[in-house]
Amino acid sequence: MNVDVNAIFQIAGIGIIIAMIHTVLKQMGKEDMAHWVTVIGFVVVLFMVVSMLDNLFKEIKTIFLFQ
Amino acid sequence: MEMIQIVGVGLLATVLVLIVKEQKPMFAFLLATFTGIVIFLFLIGKISAVIHMLEDLAVKSNINLVFLKTILKIIGIAYIAEFGAQVVRDAGQESIAAKIELAGKILIMVMAIPIITVIIQTVIKLLPV
């Protein structure tokens, strides 16, 4: 369970830091860079969530569907 | 005290979601999904113990294993459909969530067809001609 809880903190941290970087870049007048940062952060977090979801579905398959 | 652990993780994740939601709603959604996955993964170990017990019971009482398999598949479909529908509903897409639930119901119905057939055949055999 410990590893998973760490991942929750990781995602929240990534979100907060990305928001900070977005604000700073916006203040500097680099709108397009700010949007790219948001997109990359989003993709990283999405990758984490999707790999975890894959894990979950595999568990469900092995337990419920006898495979 | 696993219950306290789960409640703690839930409360913590809720606070984090509220913080992140102000800045980036997308991250808040992913965080909520991830928390759901973590809790579900934690629970699935417990569920497997119950299911092993059911399996043992079915083998001991000489029930056809196909029935148990079908029932377990139905329970699995129900859990997956519920999970997916709740995640989608969290994101505010009520209609897609309703469709996921509909798909879950129909797939369960399809899975149950062999059992229903057996029941109907049994009832017909019992009826006096």
Side-chain angles (χ1 to χ4, degrees), chain A residues 1 7 9 45 60 65-66, chain B residues 12 27 34 42 44 69 73:
Chain A
M1 186 129 189
F9 283 120
V45 177
I60 291 179
L65 310 182
F66 282 8
Chain B
L12 212 112
F27 280 93
F34 197 85
F42 181 70
I44 213 158
K69 245 182 184 173
K73 272 185 190 172

Side-chain angles (χ1 to χ4, degrees), chain B residues 22-86:
Chain B
E22 297 257 313
Q23 316 292 331
K24 297 254 174 276
M26 278 192 307
F27 280 93
F29 165 67
L30 284 182
L31 189 55
T33 309
F34 197 85
T35 312
I37 294 172
V38 166
I39 293 177
F40 212 109
L41 269 178
F42 181 70
L43 287 179
I44 213 158
K46 312 277 168 201
I47 293 174
S48 84
V50 176
I51 283 175
H52 278 304
M53 194 265 290
L54 279 180
E55 220 174 298
D56 270 3
L57 227 63
V59 169
K60 269 181 196 156
S61 55
N62 282 328
I63 293 176
N64 193 349
L65 263 185
V66 177
F67 292 142
L68 185 74
K69 245 182 184 173
T70 314
I71 290 172
L72 287 186
K73 272 185 190 172
I74 287 173
I75 297 174
I77 288 176
Y79 276 132
I80 296 175
E82 185 70 30
F83 180 81
Q86 274 172 2

